[in-house]
mmCIF file of all heavy atoms in Angstrom:
data_model
loop_
_atom_site.group_PDB
_atom_site.id
_atom_site.type_symbol
_atom_site.label_atom_id
_atom_site.label_comp_id
_atom_site.label_asym_id
_atom_site.label_seq_id
_atom_site.Cartn_x
_atom_site.Cartn_y
_atom_site.Cartn_z
ATOM 1 N N VAL A 550 -37.828 41.596 -48.820
ATOM 2 C CA VAL A 550 -37.159 40.851 -49.937
ATOM 3 C C VAL A 550 -37.621 41.434 -51.273
ATOM 4 O O VAL A 550 -38.690 41.330 -51.737
ATOM 5 C CB VAL A 550 -37.708 39.500 -49.746
ATOM 6 C CG1 VAL A 550 -36.919 38.597 -50.798
ATOM 7 C CG2 VAL A 550 -37.413 38.861 -48.408
ATOM 8 N N ARG A 551 -36.660 42.108 -51.990
ATOM 9 C CA ARG A 551 -37.061 42.763 -53.179
ATOM 10 C C ARG A 551 -36.269 42.384 -54.315
ATOM 11 O O ARG A 551 -36.485 42.750 -55.428
ATOM 12 C CB ARG A 551 -36.846 44.320 -53.051
ATOM 13 C CG ARG A 551 -37.798 44.823 -51.994
ATOM 14 C CD ARG A 551 -37.765 46.380 -51.949
ATOM 15 N NE ARG A 551 -38.778 46.959 -51.068
ATOM 16 C CZ ARG A 551 -38.668 47.023 -49.794
ATOM 17 N NH1 ARG A 551 -37.538 46.678 -49.158
ATOM 18 N NH2 ARG A 551 -39.648 47.570 -49.060
ATOM 19 N N SER A 552 -35.234 41.602 -54.161
ATOM 20 C CA SER A 552 -34.357 41.192 -55.297
ATOM 21 C C SER A 552 -35.115 40.265 -56.255
ATOM 22 O O SER A 552 -35.900 39.422 -55.879
ATOM 23 C CB SER A 552 -33.138 40.362 -54.818
ATOM 24 O OG SER A 552 -32.405 39.796 -55.941
ATOM 25 N N PRO A 553 -35.013 40.492 -57.576
ATOM 26 C CA PRO A 553 -35.767 39.771 -58.515
ATOM 27 C C PRO A 553 -35.415 38.286 -58.514
ATOM 28 O O PRO A 553 -36.271 37.454 -58.937
ATOM 29 C CB PRO A 553 -35.410 40.315 -59.831
ATOM 30 C CG PRO A 553 -34.096 41.066 -59.608
ATOM 31 C CD PRO A 553 -34.178 41.512 -58.229
ATOM 32 N N ARG A 554 -34.372 37.944 -57.984
ATOM 33 C CA ARG A 554 -33.920 36.397 -57.844
ATOM 34 C C ARG A 554 -34.443 35.851 -56.570
ATOM 35 O O ARG A 554 -34.405 34.698 -56.324
ATOM 36 C CB ARG A 554 -32.458 36.256 -57.858
ATOM 37 C CG ARG A 554 -31.936 36.726 -59.350
ATOM 38 C CD ARG A 554 -30.524 36.171 -59.467
ATOM 39 N NE ARG A 554 -29.909 36.532 -60.801
ATOM 40 C CZ ARG A 554 -28.858 36.131 -61.225
ATOM 41 N NH1 ARG A 554 -28.086 35.353 -60.458
ATOM 42 N NH2 ARG A 554 -28.523 36.384 -62.409
ATOM 43 N N GLU A 555 -34.881 36.785 -55.712
ATOM 44 C CA GLU A 555 -35.535 36.330 -54.507
ATOM 45 C C GLU A 555 -37.042 36.338 -54.577
ATOM 46 O O GLU A 555 -37.598 36.330 -55.700
ATOM 47 C CB GLU A 555 -35.101 37.245 -53.289
ATOM 48 C CG GLU A 555 -33.661 37.408 -53.163
ATOM 49 C CD GLU A 555 -32.946 36.098 -52.741
ATOM 50 O OE1 GLU A 555 -33.634 35.320 -51.981
ATOM 51 O OE2 GLU A 555 -31.726 35.996 -53.006
ATOM 52 N N LEU A 556 -37.785 36.383 -53.521
ATOM 53 C CA LEU A 556 -39.197 36.418 -53.554
ATOM 54 C C LEU A 556 -39.593 37.742 -54.107
ATOM 55 O O LEU A 556 -39.016 38.758 -53.813
ATOM 56 C CB LEU A 556 -39.739 36.223 -52.078
ATOM 57 C CG LEU A 556 -39.351 34.894 -51.470
ATOM 58 C CD1 LEU A 556 -40.039 34.896 -50.136
ATOM 59 C CD2 LEU A 556 -39.898 33.707 -52.263
ATOM 60 N N PRO A 557 -40.710 37.899 -54.798
ATOM 61 C CA PRO A 557 -41.142 39.175 -55.339
ATOM 62 C C PRO A 557 -41.508 40.105 -54.201
ATOM 63 O O PRO A 557 -41.968 39.624 -53.117
ATOM 64 C CB PRO A 557 -42.420 38.872 -56.174
ATOM 65 C CG PRO A 557 -42.228 37.384 -56.410
ATOM 66 C CD PRO A 557 -41.608 36.876 -55.254
ATOM 67 N N SER A 558 -41.420 41.389 -54.365
ATOM 68 C CA SER A 558 -41.748 42.264 -53.293
ATOM 69 C C SER A 558 -43.226 42.322 -53.017
ATOM 70 O O SER A 558 -44.132 42.489 -53.827
ATOM 71 C CB SER A 558 -41.445 43.777 -53.739
ATOM 72 O OG SER A 558 -41.935 44.690 -52.841
ATOM 73 N N LEU A 559 -43.582 41.990 -51.822
ATOM 74 C CA LEU A 559 -45.011 41.802 -51.476
ATOM 75 C C LEU A 559 -45.716 43.162 -51.387
ATOM 76 O O LEU A 559 -47.000 43.194 -51.637
ATOM 77 C CB LEU A 559 -45.182 41.128 -50.061
ATOM 78 C CG LEU A 559 -44.467 39.773 -50.030
ATOM 79 C CD1 LEU A 559 -44.666 39.192 -48.673
ATOM 80 C CD2 LEU A 559 -45.048 38.818 -51.090
ATOM 81 N N GLU A 560 -45.137 44.251 -51.117
ATOM 82 C CA GLU A 560 -45.671 45.575 -51.114
ATOM 83 C C GLU A 560 -46.105 46.054 -52.561
ATOM 84 O O GLU A 560 -46.785 46.889 -52.619
ATOM 85 C CB GLU A 560 -44.706 46.571 -50.494
ATOM 86 C CG GLU A 560 -44.442 46.223 -48.977
ATOM 87 C CD GLU A 560 -45.738 46.353 -48.131
ATOM 88 O OE1 GLU A 560 -46.655 47.086 -48.541
ATOM 89 O OE2 GLU A 560 -45.773 45.577 -47.179
ATOM 90 N N SER A 561 -45.508 45.336 -53.565
ATOM 91 C CA SER A 561 -45.945 45.811 -54.851
ATOM 92 C C SER A 561 -47.298 45.155 -55.320
ATOM 93 O O SER A 561 -47.791 45.574 -56.392
ATOM 94 C CB SER A 561 -44.861 45.426 -55.880
ATOM 95 O OG SER A 561 -44.801 44.031 -55.960
#
Side-chain angles (χ1 to χ4, degrees):
V550 184
R551 294 185 175 87
S552 169
R554 294 193 177 186
E555 306 290 337
L556 303 178
S558 171
L559 304 181
E560 293 301 326
S561 64

